[in-house]
Amino acid sequence: MRRVRRDDPQQIPGQDELLPTYRYHAVFTDSPYTLVQAEAQHRQHAIIEQVNADLIAGPLAHLPSGHFSANDAWLTCAAITHNLTRAAGHLAAGTWSTARPATIRTRIITVAARLAHRARTIHLHLPEYWPWQAAFDNLFTAVQPAPG
């Protein structure tokens, strides 16, 4: 049994509560680990389950096909795409480092923009009142090569 203290966000600083409240979490395991080690292992398992859910909801939704080599190629492309999308979320900074890949794709990567060529340079015209412009700017600045 694990006991976690429940903090009251409306509590006045410096005024302790009369009777502290706790949340109790029952943990059943047959592993030889201590409770703290078992909980850390469980959290790692939850992270990989979230990655699997993201992949199954996205690029792996159409697997399996009838050909093993096609499945192999599609799985490889899905893993590369997932890793690049997560890297883009980290480069966009802020809350994007923990956002789901589908959210990163729809809000930052898929942009309704217009390309313009002027004086041998490429200009990207973004929407005027786009709520995710700061994240896109962070990502663009991070991947842009240094001049010279």
Side-chain angles (χ1 to χ4, degrees):
M1 185 67 71
R2 178 158 187 222
R3 183 173 82 163
V4 178
R5 188 171 185 151
R6 178 177 291 180
D7 292 328
D8 185 10
Q10 283 118 11
Q11 182 178 344
I12 298 171
Q15 180 180 356
D16 293 334
E17 52 197 355
L18 183 60
L19 299 170
T21 56
Y22 294 92
R23 292 180 294 176
Y24 295 93
H25 300 279
V27 178
F28 298 100
T29 182
D30 60 349
S31 69
Y33 302 118
T34 64
L35 179 62
V36 175
Q37 293 169 334
E39 186 178 22
Q41 185 181 20
H42 175 71
R43 289 186 190 280
Q44 289 297 325
H45 181 72
I47 290 170
I48 193 63
E49 288 297 325
Q50 183 63 45
V51 170
N52 288 339
D54 289 339
L55 287 171
I56 290 170
L60 299 184
H62 303 290
L63 282 181
S65 74
H67 304 285
F68 180 78
S69 58
N71 290 337
D72 185 31
W74 192 255
L75 181 63
T76 303
C77 291
I80 291 170
T81 304
H82 179 79
N83 289 336
L84 287 174
T85 305
R86 298 291 303 155
H90 282 279
L91 291 175
T95 59
W96 297 102
S97 61
T98 57
R100 295 185 66 172
T103 305
I104 295 169
R105 270 194 313 273
T106 58
R107 295 186 179 172
I108 299 176
I109 296 172
T110 307
V111 182
R114 185 173 51 92
L115 286 174
H117 298 274
R118 198 173 330 133
R120 295 184 186 166
T121 58
I122 298 174
H123 296 273
L124 185 65
H125 295 278
L126 295 170
E128 189 172 350
Y129 299 106
W130 187 37
W132 303 289
Q133 182 177 356
F136 183 82
D137 288 341
N138 290 341
L139 177 61
F140 186 76
T141 304
V143 299
Q144 189 70 16

